[in-house]
Amino acid sequence: MAEILCPQCGKPNPDDLENCQFCEARLQPSDDELYIQPGESPVRMNTAEFEKTQVHIDNEPIRPGQLPTKKNTSDLEQVLPSWLRAARGMDDGEQPAVEQGTSSPVENPSTGSAVEDSGEEFPDWLAGLDAEAASAGGEEVPEWLANLGGDVDAGQPAVDKTLQDSGSFAKTQVSKAREIPVEPEKLESDLPDWLSGLKSEGESFTETPLDDGRTPVEPEPLQEDGGMPDWLAGLKSDGELFADAVETPLGDVGALAEAAPSQFEVEGELPDWLSGIKPEEQILTDAAETPLGDVESLAGVAPSQADGEIPDWLTRLKSEEQRFMDDAGTSLGVGVPVEPEPALPAEEVPGWLAAMKPEGELPSETSESTSGDIPDWLSGFQGAEGTLAEEAKGSQEPSSQVEDEDEVPDWLSGAQPEPVQDDLGTVLEPSSQTPSEQIPEWLTGLKTDDAGRVESKPEDRPAFEHEPAETSPAEAESSQALPDWLEGIVPVASSSGSRPALIEAEESELTSEQPEEDFAMEMPDWLSSLEPEKKAAKSASAFVPDHAPAESLEPGELPSWVQAMRPVESAVGDIKPQEVDEQVVESQGPLAGLSGVLPVEPGLGPLRKPPAYSIKLQTNESQQRHAAHLEQMVASESQAGKVAKSAGIFSTRILRWVIAAILLLAVVLPTILGSQSVPAFLGYPSEMGPTINQIDALPINPPVLLVFDYQPAFVGEMNAAAGPLIDYLIITKGARLSMVSTIPTGPALAEWFMKSTQAVHGYQAGQQYINLGYVSGGTAGVINFIQDPVTATPVLFNQQSVWDLPPLEGIQALSDFSMLIIVTDSADTGRVWVEQTAQYLGTNPPMVMIVSAQAEPMIRPYFDSDQIQGLVVGLAGGKSLEAITRPGLGRAYWDAFSYGLLVAEILILVGGIWSAISGIRSRKIKLEEGEA
Amino acid sequence: MKNFRGIVSAVIAISTGILVLVGYFIEIPIFINLRGILLGWAVILAAAALFVGIINMLMVHSAKVRMKQQGSIYSLVLIISLVITLALGLVLGTEHQIVNLIFTSIQLPVEATLLGLLAISLAYASIRLLRRRMNLLSIIFIVTALIVLLGTVPLPFGEIPSLGDTIRPFFSQVLAAGGARGILIGVALGALVTGLRVLFGADRPYGSK
C-alpha cells in the first residue's frame, strides 16, 4: 500500500486516509482548495508576514566564515511545496522520535556527522525525497543502491531497517535494491581490488565493534533488503555513523563506495583496517614515535593484523609511503600543504596512517593538512574542503598528483581527493592529504570532528545545514563512537566555503583536476554534494542572494540547508565578481536567491516579469528639442513683440526744449523789441493785383458777404492776412459786411476779427455789419444758404429778423451781394464754397479767398482757373497789401516771422546734417557688431 | 424684421439721393422744391446730430466721473465748463461780453498754443528725419522744405536772389499745385463713385447691411 507523507508532520500515512493519523491534518487538498471556482475571489494572503522575514540582501558573495542567516520561515510553510515542507517539518523536530532501530535517521550529508541514535528523526532533506518518491513511484534506482541488494543477500544487516521511518525514498531505493538480485560474486567482480579484499577480510571483522564507547546498535540479520556492507550499514547519521560495529561484507564495500554511508545506520563491526583507525592526534603521535611502516605498533591496530596479516593493499601503500611523505606542502587538489611526516619505516607505517594529521589540527586553521599520518585516500578528506580555492587556482597538487599517478595503484589513481562538498553538511576531513590517492566519494563526504571521527548531525539541524562551530562540541561527542580508523580523520573546516550544489562550468575546474574515472558513478545530489560541515556552514552563511525576490519565498526565508547549497566565494574564488553578478539569481519559487539555476526551459534563461511599457509618448532628446522650439514659435505669435527702447530719451527731451527755446527767442525778441530790420519783398505777389482790382470795381457801400470758416488756432495768421484786405475794402468802398460761418466757432471769430483789426473804423453790429451766425449742415448747409439765404438764416439769436437790417437791405439772394470773401484755413472748405457757388452765381458776384499758407497749393488752381477772382495767401499776402493800406499785424509779425523761419531753417539744416552723420555711424556700428 | 428695416432704409436713402440729383439736372419746380425741402431736412438733421453728439459726450464723461476711472478729473472739468458756457450763452446770448471773453480768453489761446507746439515738433522731426530714415526721399523732403522756407520770407541779411520769386513759386505753384490738382481730381472722382454706390445701394453708410 502506498503511503503519503503528511504535509504537516511529515509522517507516512496510508494513501486511503484523508486525514493524517498523527496530526489529523488533511493529507490531500480538496478540490475546492485545488481549483478556483468560477466567480470565486482569490484568496487574500497577508504578505506582510513574508516581509517580516525579508532580509537585507546585498550582492556580496558569500564570505568564508560567514554564517548563514537563520530566519523564521514558519510563516512561509503554506507556500512551500509539500516535500519541502515535510523536510522542514522533520528538521524542526515535528516528527516524533524515530523508533529505535527502525528510524535511524540518515546521516546529514551537509554536516557529515554520523548518524545519531535511533530515535533521531529522519533528515528532512531525505524525508522530502520520500514524498517525491512516493508520488513518483517508479524512480530509478541508482546503481550504487541497486548493488546493495547483493550485499544483503550475502548476509548484510537489514540496512533498510534503518530507513523504515526515516524516509520512504531511501527505503524505496533500498527496496528496489532488494528487488535486484545481486550476487555477491558479481559484485565482487565489479569491485576494485581493495574493496574486494576488504570483503574477504571484513568477514572477520564483522563482529568487531567500534571503539567509541557507545552502545553499538545490534546488527540485525541480513534480509532481503539491500546489499549494504555492514561497515557501511553501520554508518549512522548525525555523528553516529561509526558508533556501532558494522557488519558489512567487505565484498560489498565497493558497491557501496558511492553510497553515502550516512544514510545507513552502521551496524556491526568495522573491518580491522577501519577499526584500526585511531584519532588523528594519536596517530600522529604514534607515527612520530613509530618508525615508518610499523603498522603493528600503532594503537588501535589489532596485533593479529600486524603480523603478516596486513592486507596487500596496505602493504603496497607502504612502498608508496615514502614518496608521499615527500609531497609536503601539496594538497590533494585542494592546496593543502603537507606537513613533513615523521621518520618511520616505509614498510611498517602505511602512508595513509602516517599521513593522518593530529587531532587538533583543523583544516580550517591550516587549510593545509599533514599528509603523513593518514592514508592518502583519507588524507584527501581533509584537504578537499579546505582547499577548494587553491584547487581552483590550479594548485600544485594536480601536478603532484600527476606525478604520483604512475606510482599509485589503479584503484587509487582515480580516487583523487576532491574538494569536500559541504552542501549536505557532511564533510570528511582527513587529517592529512594524499596527493594522488583516490578517495571514495562516500568517504570524502564523511565529515570528521577534531578527533578524526565522523561528525554528528545535531537533531535540530536541517539536513543541509552546516554549522561547524556550533556542532563542533556535538560532533566531538558523537565522534566518540567512531571507529579507530576514522577517529584520526579530523574535520577540516574549509576556508573556502562549501561547494555549491549548482556549480557553473568554471567551477567544474575544481573537480576536473581530480579525475574519478574509476569511481565515477551517478550519485544523488545529496550524496555528491557532501561538504565539510564548517566549510558548508561558512559558505551557507556567506552566501547572500543578489536581491530579495519579490515572490513569497525569499532567499532569507529558505532553510539553512538550502542556503548551504549556494555557491560560496571560495568555490568561485577565481571567478571575477562580474562573472558572479552575471549569473542569474532566481527570484521566484523555492530556489529564490540561488544563482546559476537552470531556467525552466532550456535556452530561455531566467524568467522575468514582462517589461512594462509606458503609455507616455516615447520621444528622444532630439524630438523633445524640436517640439520645444515649435512651441516657442507658436507662443511667440500671440505675444507682442517688444519694442526696443530707444536710447537717449533724456537727450531727446532736452533737444526738444532747446529747439523750443531757440524758436521762442527768435520769435519773441523781435516782437518785444519791435524790430523792423527785415525788408519786405521787393515785388508783390502775383495774386495781389487781381484782388485789388476786384475791390476797386465794387460800387460804393456794397454789401459784401464774409465767410469765416477757419479754426481759432489760425486766428493769428488769418487776421494778419484778412485784415489789410477788409481794411482796404472799408476804407475805399465803405462796404456793408455780412458775416456767416459754417463752423460753430465762426461767429465768434468774426466778432473777434471785427474788434481786433477793424476797430479803427468803428463799425457797429447791426449797422455796418451783421453776423448771421452759424449755418449747420456742412456742404448741405452751404447749398441751402446759397439757394436761399433768407430761409437758411431767417432770424438772429434774439429772434430778430436780420434781413430787414441796414447791412442786409435789399438782399434776398446770394446773388444780391456784391462780393463773397471766403476766409478759410482749409482747402476743403474753400473748395466747397467754390464748387457750390459756381453753379448758382457763376462769376457774379466775384469771389475772393483769403487762405492760409498751408491751403495755397489746393486753392491756387481755382485761382488760376479763374473760378475765384482774388487770392490772398497767408502773412506774406497780408504784408503785401499793407503796403497800399496802412501797417497792421503783418508788419508787426514780419521780423519775428523772418527770424523764426531763419532759425528753423538753420536748425533743420544743421540738425539734419548732424542726424545724418550720427545715423550713418550708428548703422556702421550695428553692422560691425552684427558681423562680430 | 431686420431685413425689412434694411430695405426701407435703403429705399429712403436711394430715393432721396435720386430726387436731389434729378433736381440738379432737371429744373422742374417740383424737383427744385423737393430738393430744397430735403436739403432743409438734412440741415436740420445735421444740427440735431450736433446736439446729440454733445449729449453723448456728456454721458460718456459723466460715466467716467461716476466710475472714478483714470482721468475722470478732466472729464469733470469738461462737464463743468460745458455747463457754464451753455448756461451763460443761453442766458446772456452769444454776443454778450462775458461769453466773448470766455471764448477769446480761453479757447483762442489754447488752440493757438497747440498750433505753436506743432511748429516746434515739426522742426524737431525735421532735424531727426535723416537719423531715422536716411534715404533719397528724406533728403528731397528736407531740401524742399528749406527752399520753401527760405523763399517764403526775406532773410534778415537780405533776400536770396531768385529764391523768393522764381524757385519758391516754382515749388509751390508748379510742383505742389500739380500734385494738388491730381489729388483734387482723385477726390472728386472718389466722391462721385461714393455717391453712385450709395444711390445704387452698394454702400449703406446708414447702418444696414
Side-chain angles (χ1 to χ4, degrees), chain A residues 652 655 659-660 678 681 712-713 748 787 831 839-840 857-858 861 894 898-899 901 905 907 911-912 915 918 923, chain B residues 24 35 39 43 46 103-104 107-108 111 115 120 124 127 130-131 134 149-150 152-154 156 159 173 180-181 184:
Chain A
T652 302
L655 178 62
I659 293 173
V678 177
F681 280 109
Q787 293 179 351
R831 186 165 48 87
Q839 178 185 2
Y840 297 98
M858 301 297 292
W894 188 247
S898 177
Y899 285 112
L901 282 179
E905 293 165 359
L907 289 175
S915 296
S918 63
R923 277 187 287 273
Chain B
Y24 273 101
R35 182 184 69 182
L39 288 177
V43 173
F103 175 79
T104 57
Q107 189 168 0
L108 284 179
E111 292 190 21
L115 191 61
I120 297 174
Y124 177 78
I127 292 172
L130 295 181
R131 183 182 180 86
M134 186 63 177
L149 289 176
L150 288 173
T152 301
V153 67
E159 186 176 352
Q173 297 178 12
R181 287 177 182 270
L184 289 174

Side-chain angles (χ1 to χ4, degrees), chain A residues 4-26:
Chain A
I4 302 176
L5 281 182
C6 176
Q8 203 70 18
C9 62
K11 295 183 178 178
N13 293 275
D15 60 348
D16 57 350
L17 296 180
E18 294 185 359
N19 297 331
C20 178
Q21 56 186 350
F22 299 99
C23 63
E24 299 299 328
R26 194 175 182 79

Side-chain angles (χ1 to χ4, degrees), chain B residues 52-66:
Chain B
V52 171
I54 293 173
I55 295 175
N56 182 55
M57 183 184 67
L58 284 175
M59 294 174 62
V60 169
H61 287 277
S62 298
K64 196 173 183 179
V65 174
R66 184 169 58 253

Side-chain angles (χ1 to χ4, degrees), chain B residues 90-199:
Chain B
L90 292 174
V91 171
L92 301 176
T94 58
E95 297 178 357
H96 197 273
Q97 185 178 1
I98 294 175
V99 176
N100 292 332
L101 182 62
I102 292 173
F103 175 79
T104 57
S105 302
I106 297 175
Q107 189 168 0
L108 284 179
V110 169
E111 292 190 21
T113 302
L114 292 176
L115 191 61
L117 294 176
L118 180 61
I120 297 174
S121 299
L122 290 176
Y124 177 78
S126 301
I127 292 172
R128 308 266 306 171
L129 175 63
L130 295 181
R131 183 182 180 86
R132 291 181 178 275
R133 187 179 301 177
M134 186 63 177
N135 52 18
L136 181 62
L137 291 179
S138 299
I139 296 174
I140 293 173
F141 179 84
I142 294 297
V143 172
T144 303
L146 289 175
I147 292 173
V148 170
L149 289 176
L150 288 173
T152 301
V153 67
L155 297 177
F157 50 85
E159 186 176 352
I160 297 174
S162 304
L163 183 61
D165 56 356
T166 306
I167 298 174
R168 180 190 176 279
F170 175 78
F171 278 89
S172 63
Q173 297 178 12
V174 176
L175 299 179
R181 287 177 182 270
I183 293 173
L184 289 174
I185 293 173
V187 171
L189 293 175
L192 177 62
V193 173
T194 301
L196 290 176
R197 290 174 61 86
V198 174
L199 291 177

Side-chain angles (χ1 to χ4, degrees), chain A residues 45 78 96 215 223 232 244 284 329 343 348 462 482 519 552 651 658 678 696 705 767 770 879:
Chain A
M45 299 186 68
Q78 297 301 326
T215 306
Q223 297 179 3
L232 286 178
D244 302 327
L284 290 176
E348 297 181 358
L482 293 175
F519 295 92
S552 60
S651 62
V658 170
V678 177
D696 293 338
L705 179 62
Q767 298 296 324
I770 187 67
K879 178 66 176 65

